[in-house]
Amino acid sequence: MSKDFGKGVRSWFSRYREVSVFMILCLEVLGFYLLLSQLGYERGFFNTDNFLMIFKYTSIYGIAAVGAAMIIISGGIDLAPGAVIALTTVITGHLFVRFGLPLWLSGFCGFLVGLLSGGLASFLVTVIKLPPFIATLGVMGVTRGLAFIITRGGFYDLSGKIPDDFRLLGIPLDYWPGILMIGLAIIFHLFMVLTKWGRQVHAIGGNETAAYFSGVKVRRIKVMVYLIGGLLASLSGVTLAVVQGHGRADIATGYELDIIAAAVVGGASLSGGRGSVLGAVLGSLIFGVLRNGLYQIAGLTFYERLIVGIVVVVIVVIDQLTVKKESKAI
Amino acid sequence: MIKVERISKSFGATQALREVCFEIKSGSVHGLVGENGAGKSTLMKVLMGIHQSDSGEIYLDGKPVSILGPEQANELGFRIVFQEIALCANLSIMENLFLGAERTRFGLMNFGEMEERAREVLEMVGLDFWSGVLVGELSVAEKQMVQIARAILYEPRLIIFDEPTSALTRDYIESLFRIIRGLHNKGVTVLYISHKLEEIFEVADMVTVLRDGRHIGTFAVEEVNEARLVQMMVGRELDLSVRRKEVKAGEVLLKVEGLSGDRFEGVGFEVRAGEIVGISGLVGSGRTELVESIFGVRRIKSGRVFLKGREVTGRSVLERIKSGMALVPEDRQISGLIFSMVLKQNLSLPGVVLGNRELGGIVVLPGSEADFARRAIEKLRIVVSGVDAEMMSLSGGNQQKVVVGKWLMLGPEVFIMDEPTRGIDVGAKAEIHNLIRGFADKGNGMLVVSSELPELLALSDRILVMREGRIRGEVCSDRACEEEIMRLAVGGINQEGVNQ
């Protein structure tokens, strides 16, 4: 009885990966709270301002992780989001600071970066038929390079020109990154789980030939996921530029790998077919909380990368162990 | 002599082997037959040390042996040729042959010795290749022969063949049988597992039948006939001698005109309502390329395809599906199923792509999808634990039923099936045959490609025979005989070579 119960719980967890990732996140927050209380730092961690901060920093890659998860589920990979984020902040900053365009128009133009980079990636993948790794490596180089060419080593400071009490739709700016990230995560999660297009993305990632033989318009679906991936990366960029007030070419360096790691922690398989958008965002939050928590403890900042690396490996290993146990049980 | 005594093995709740006892005489060719799931694979994996039996003993020349792993099985002189290709495509034939057992001298590879030995075994299996050729450049049949060469290389005492002919062309099947007879003459014991009973009668001295993990019987092949074996395998008879009743063919549903493409040329034919049209021909005659081009998953060079009088040439796969076409592809693993998706998602996929109302349309409703899957499971009698079953947990026959079911549920009018019963057990085969007949009886058009002539003869109203990419003739199944079809399929020139 109890054995069956354990098995049932395990299979339920592996099927609803989001729940287990969410529980890891809760445990993490609790762990940091207890650890920081011991050290007497808990006030700096467990409060609304700090949680807003966590959402703000996490959203930079968390929003992009929504698109990246979809691309990974389709059997592809996207190395461009970090660079797309950077170019978006640069374009938005350039238009807003240099040309004095209104903020909404600058942001919209920044958004176009995602459309173009996503379009380029999907062209290279579906028409030229490059492997996604190479195609998006190219897009990464082009977008990051353009960002450096435009800024020429400088950066744009948008924060000075945005009033502190700026509100969008009546909501203070600081709340927006979190709202966008969670909102998009839910919308695209439902899109992937419930709509026929989402199902086709899963099908292509699982077995492209079988999907094609079942009538799936493989190219069209791939174009869709790379476009969504690009657009969400540049939305991350716009959010970053507006909320944090930076427009820099060297921003978000290496984020593409954090994004992929977040998607994997959230249950995505790099061989395609499996994964969860919500899981990827929760995975991003696990990293966000980890960074924030470590930052609060004096002297641990330098350990951040090391610990993040270990956490990714440990979570994925635990996952594989549970999957193996299940398949053996048959 | 190898004696298997009261071997039992279970996986969870499934009892794969129940107290199986039989003997394999030294130097004999021993056939092992049974449906999928009868326990053949488990038994051979126990012999090879891949699985350990729960109880029972294996005796070698009267002494009990314990086979705890593949290394021990190899030390005892047991070798196996798997059905699946397990070779490294990026390495040469020689490197594959000696993989893990490289001959060395002073710690360096002794290429001279290896090449000489490789040449010997390649000659034995009838592969006329330099041993430095990369395995990736070989055809599936040639790769299978390399696997056989690899087993022979070690001069085994017992060699197990698991469905060795499923990937082989006729020539290589002949040479496989020659090799087996050669091994037999050298006193090597052969355990030959196959679905194809005619092969058992061709090479084996003895045959053992398993059903549901039980040993049903072991006989000298002279004592039994095919019908009796099938009856023992399934507990009932599969009669392939029943021909289809004369049907009144209706309007033309599928019309192909002068179709040319990769590996076929100038093909034209019609399929009428209520008809089952078979396509026969050797592997490589362009059959698969032809039907996949008709379905639109391959490009064509010229020609036209009409569906119910409407031209669909140049239309997408999806549009052809919408107008009532369906294809069960040749290889369910490669182009039929998606293993990262559960059963119900595989069953609903074409319906989901079409935005089928029954499934909810744009939003796929989980409840409707489960109902849809349940109806398919019931209609095709798929044996599964539930609609959320993993595809890997299904037997070959049930997997094939899923591939058929995902189309059948959409109610197509022209249904193309490429090797619909390859690698599935007799029971599932009979059920798929009944589905095909029932489908045509309802006034739909059926196009069946098969390498098994008895199957085509039993199913089809007429059979198109292909050779080298062209249709060489059409025979009516009531008058057709296997010889006539074979003559058309291989061409008249080397007729003598075929009949021997």
Side-chain angles (χ1 to χ4, degrees):
Chain A
M1 174 67 201
S2 69
K3 204 176 161 189
D4 277 356
F5 179 73
K7 208 189 274 174
V9 168
R10 204 159 53 213
S11 79
W12 195 79
F13 269 127
S14 74
R15 181 152 295 164
Y16 299 98
R17 178 62 177 257
E18 303 80 27
V19 181
S20 52
V21 180
F22 183 69
M23 288 184 63
I24 293 176
L25 181 63
C26 292
L27 285 176
E28 188 189 16
V29 172
L30 185 70
F32 268 119
Y33 176 69
L34 295 174
L35 181 68
L36 291 166
S37 320
Q38 287 290 313
L39 300 167
Y41 295 135
E42 78 275 16
R43 279 161 181 278
F45 180 70
F46 210 79
N47 62 57
T48 318
D49 280 348
N50 190 49
F51 284 165
L52 273 180
M53 181 110 97
I54 291 174
F55 273 113
K56 197 159 109 181
Y57 282 93
T58 304
S59 71
I60 302 169
Y61 51 93
I63 294 173
V66 170
M70 291 173 65
I71 291 175
I72 291 173
I73 293 169
S74 83
I77 191 106
D78 191 0
L79 295 178
V84 171
I85 291 170
L87 182 61
T88 307
T89 67
V90 166
I91 296 281
T92 307
H94 191 81
L95 296 176
F96 183 58
V97 177
R98 268 303 145 74
F99 293 174
L101 291 185
L103 188 60
W104 67 268
L105 188 58
S106 314
F108 180 75
C109 292
F111 205 52
L112 289 180
V113 170
L115 194 67
L116 292 174
S117 64
L120 179 60
S122 52
F123 172 76
L124 292 174
V125 170
T126 61
V127 181
I128 311 287
K129 302 213 181 295
L130 286 182
F133 191 96
I134 306 295
T136 57
L137 191 68
V139 174
M140 172 174 107
V142 169
T143 43
R144 182 75 73 182
L146 283 174
F148 276 110
I149 292 168
I150 293 168
T151 55
R152 303 203 168 268
F155 69 93
Y156 305 105
D157 182 9
L158 292 85
S159 54
K161 292 196 166 188
I162 302 172
D164 280 345
D165 58 350
F166 183 84
R167 282 166 180 260
L168 191 61
L169 304 174
I171 299 167
L173 216 45
D174 274 352
Y175 286 84
W176 272 102
I179 292 172
L180 273 180
M181 180 171 73
I182 300 300
L184 288 168
I186 292 169
I187 290 168
F188 279 100
H189 188 81
L190 293 177
F191 174 83
M192 289 296 284
V193 173
L194 289 181
T195 71
K196 64 176 200 170
W197 300 292
R199 180 63 61 78
Q200 292 178 56
V201 176
H202 279 97
I204 292 174
N207 182 345
E208 193 173 320
T209 313
Y212 181 56
F213 272 69
S214 301
V216 175
K217 302 215 165 180
V218 175
R219 276 194 194 187
R220 208 174 279 184
I221 299 287
K222 280 190 179 174
V223 168
M224 176 188 85
V225 293
Y226 283 97
L227 279 181
I228 291 175
L231 286 173
L232 288 175
S234 61
L235 187 60
S236 277
V238 173
T239 315
L240 176 62
V242 173
V243 178
Q244 295 186 36
H246 293 304
R248 286 165 52 165
D250 60 349
I251 216 164
T253 310
Y255 275 30
E256 51 280 346
L257 296 181
D258 289 340
I259 289 166
I260 292 167
V264 169
V265 164
S269 155
L270 288 186
S271 45
R274 292 178 203 270
S276 153
V277 167
L278 205 52
V281 172
L282 292 169
S284 308
L285 275 168
I286 288 180
F287 293 154
V289 171
L290 193 66
R291 293 213 168 106
N292 181 278
L294 293 174
Y295 183 74
Q296 315 253 347
I297 305 169
L300 272 191
T301 317
F302 298 116
Y303 290 82
E304 182 209 300
R305 286 267 135 198
L306 175 82
I307 294 173
V308 167
I310 292 170
V311 165
V312 172
V313 173
V314 167
I315 292 181
V316 175
V317 166
I318 291 172
D319 180 53
Q320 290 201 335
L321 288 178
T322 56
V323 168
K324 262 189 198 146
K325 267 186 191 155
E326 264 190 18
S327 56
K328 266 185 191 163
I330 298 167
Chain B
M1 186 181 72
I2 296 157
K3 192 169 162 195
V4 174
E5 186 135 310
R6 298 171 75 84
I7 292 279
S8 294
K9 173 76 187 170
S10 61
F11 299 97
T14 319
Q15 188 78 32
L17 292 175
R18 297 168 211 250
E19 308 209 329
V20 171
C21 307
F22 69 98
E23 286 176 11
I24 306 170
K25 289 199 189 99
S26 287
S28 68
V29 178
H30 198 108
L32 184 61
V33 297
E35 289 190 290
N36 277 350
K40 295 174 311 222
S41 315
T42 312
L43 181 64
M44 114 204 142
K45 283 180 179 159
V46 168
L47 280 174
M48 290 308 297
I50 298 163
H51 292 323
Q52 271 70 51
S53 60
D54 300 335
S55 61
E57 294 272 4
I58 296 168
Y59 294 90
L60 184 60
D61 297 332
K63 274 173 277 175
V65 287
S66 61
I67 307 172
L68 299 173
E71 307 80 34
Q72 271 140 329
N74 290 345
E75 272 168 35
L76 292 171
F78 294 1
R79 290 280 161 180
I80 185 163
V81 179
F82 284 109
Q83 184 179 6
E84 300 87 24
I85 304 294
L87 298 171
C88 305
N90 59 330
L91 298 180
S92 70
I93 295 178
M94 185 187 74
E95 286 164 321
N96 269 292
L97 288 177
F98 288 92
L99 202 62
E102 288 83 359
R103 307 273 167 95
T104 56
R105 185 190 279 165
F106 314 124
L108 298 174
M109 300 267 256
N110 188 344
F111 286 110
E113 190 191 329
M114 284 197 278
E115 197 171 326
E116 199 171 314
R117 181 75 182 121
R119 202 180 316 127
E120 277 171 36
V121 291
L122 288 182
E123 204 180 293
M124 272 170 75
V125 300
L127 269 183
D128 189 16
F129 281 102
W130 173 50
S131 61
V133 171
L134 291 186
V135 162
E137 289 168 24
L138 304 179
S139 73
V140 180
E142 289 157 358
K143 284 179 190 157
Q144 180 68 300
M145 295 316 277
V146 173
Q147 298 208 116
I148 293 168
R150 189 172 144 81
I152 296 174
L153 186 75
Y154 300 96
E155 296 175 336
R157 174 203 298 259
L158 167 71
I159 177 162
I160 304 174
F161 290 95
D162 179 18
E163 302 275 350
T165 58
S166 56
L168 293 184
T169 54
R170 208 175 175 80
D171 291 350
Y172 283 113
I173 292 175
E174 283 300 318
S175 91
L176 172 71
F177 290 164
R178 230 178 13 250
I179 296 165
I180 290 177
R181 286 185 203 109
L183 290 167
H184 177 68
N185 292 339
K186 282 190 184 167
V188 178
T189 310
V190 176
L191 185 57
Y192 191 93
I193 300 167
S194 183
H195 273 117
K196 297 178 191 157
L197 297 180
E198 64 266 39
E199 292 175 3
I200 299 287
F201 286 101
E202 182 145 6
V203 294
D205 315 318
M206 302 288 290
V207 58
T208 289
V209 183
L210 293 183
R211 184 172 78 221
D212 300 330
R214 287 199 181 82
H215 176 237
I216 301 298
T218 297
F219 313 90
V221 286
E222 305 86 43
E223 292 172 19
V224 286
N225 59 27
E226 204 159 313
R228 175 109 179 79
L229 279 185
V230 171
Q231 200 187 355
M232 283 189 283
M233 283 160 67
V234 293
R236 71 193 118 93
E237 284 188 65
L238 173 68
D239 196 354
L240 280 178
S241 64
V242 182
R243 300 290 163 95
R244 205 164 174 244
K245 294 193 301 277
E246 189 72 35
V247 284
K248 202 115 178 82
E251 50 163 342
V252 177
L253 289 181
L254 175 71
K255 188 175 166 192
V256 177
E257 261 181 20
L259 204 64
S260 299
D262 179 28
R263 299 190 114 188
F264 61 90
E265 231 182 282
V267 173
F269 64 90
E270 286 175 356
V271 178
R272 289 169 176 275
E275 253 191 334
I276 304 176
V277 177
I279 297 185
S280 181
L282 302 179
V283 172
S285 59
R287 304 171 311 183
T288 296
E289 290 80 0
L290 171 67
V291 292
E292 289 185 359
S293 302
I294 293 172
F295 190 57
V297 291
R298 275 177 191 265
R299 283 173 191 281
I300 54 162
K301 287 181 196 139
S302 61
R304 302 162 87 183
V305 179
F306 297 87
L307 200 59
K308 291 182 280 173
R310 211 166 61 89
E311 183 162 4
V312 293
T313 326
R315 298 293 171 114
S316 70
V317 182
L318 187 59
E319 279 169 288
R320 289 174 209 230
I321 295 170
K322 263 186 205 155
S323 358
M325 207 189 270
L327 171 76
V328 170
E330 183 184 24
D331 190 323
R332 59 178 166 271
Q333 312 259 351
I334 293 173
S335 30
L337 296 170
I338 296 173
F339 285 89
S340 61
M341 287 183 160
V342 297
L343 176 81
K344 65 173 179 206
Q345 295 172 331
N346 271 287
L347 278 169
S348 69
L349 186 60
V352 165
V353 178
L354 282 174
N356 196 321
R357 284 278 165 76
E358 279 179 74
L359 292 159
I362 284 173
V363 171
V364 183
L365 300 169
S368 315
E369 186 175 35
D371 283 343
F372 182 87
R374 261 180 229 116
R375 285 202 302 277
I377 290 169
E378 203 178 318
K379 193 165 177 180
L380 289 116
R381 286 196 271 159
I382 304 171
V383 183
V384 284
S385 54
V387 292
D388 289 317
E390 292 287 339
M391 292 311 298
M392 289 304 281
S393 70
L394 270 63
S395 72
N398 283 307
Q399 288 183 357
Q400 187 69 10
K401 283 186 191 171
V402 173
V403 183
V404 174
K406 74 181 201 181
W407 294 113
L408 205 59
M409 292 304 285
L410 297 179
E413 286 169 77
V414 174
F415 206 158
I416 308 171
M417 292 192 184
D418 195 354
E419 301 284 4
T421 64
R422 173 182 283 182
I424 68 175
D425 57 69
V426 186
K429 202 172 195 167
E431 289 184 55
I432 286 181
H433 285 177
N434 286 337
L435 275 171
I436 291 174
R437 290 196 183 100
F439 181 78
D441 288 344
K442 280 188 202 133
N444 300 303
M446 195 72 224
L447 184 61
V448 181
V449 175
S450 177
S451 295
E452 283 186 52
L453 276 181
E455 171 173 276
L456 272 189
L457 287 169
L459 280 177
S460 348
D461 302 311
R462 53 198 174 90
I463 298 170
L464 309 169
V465 187
M466 284 187 80
R467 180 177 83 239
E468 287 158 11
R470 285 177 180 278
I471 291 182
R472 302 291 170 165
E474 179 181 325
V475 288
C476 283
S477 68
D478 50 347
R479 272 175 287 120
C481 54
E482 297 198 22
E483 289 73 26
E484 188 183 352
I485 294 172
M486 274 324 293
R487 203 180 61 240
L488 288 166
V490 297
I493 313 148
N494 47 5
Q495 207 174 331
E496 284 171 13
V498 173
N499 288 341
Q500 66 179 200

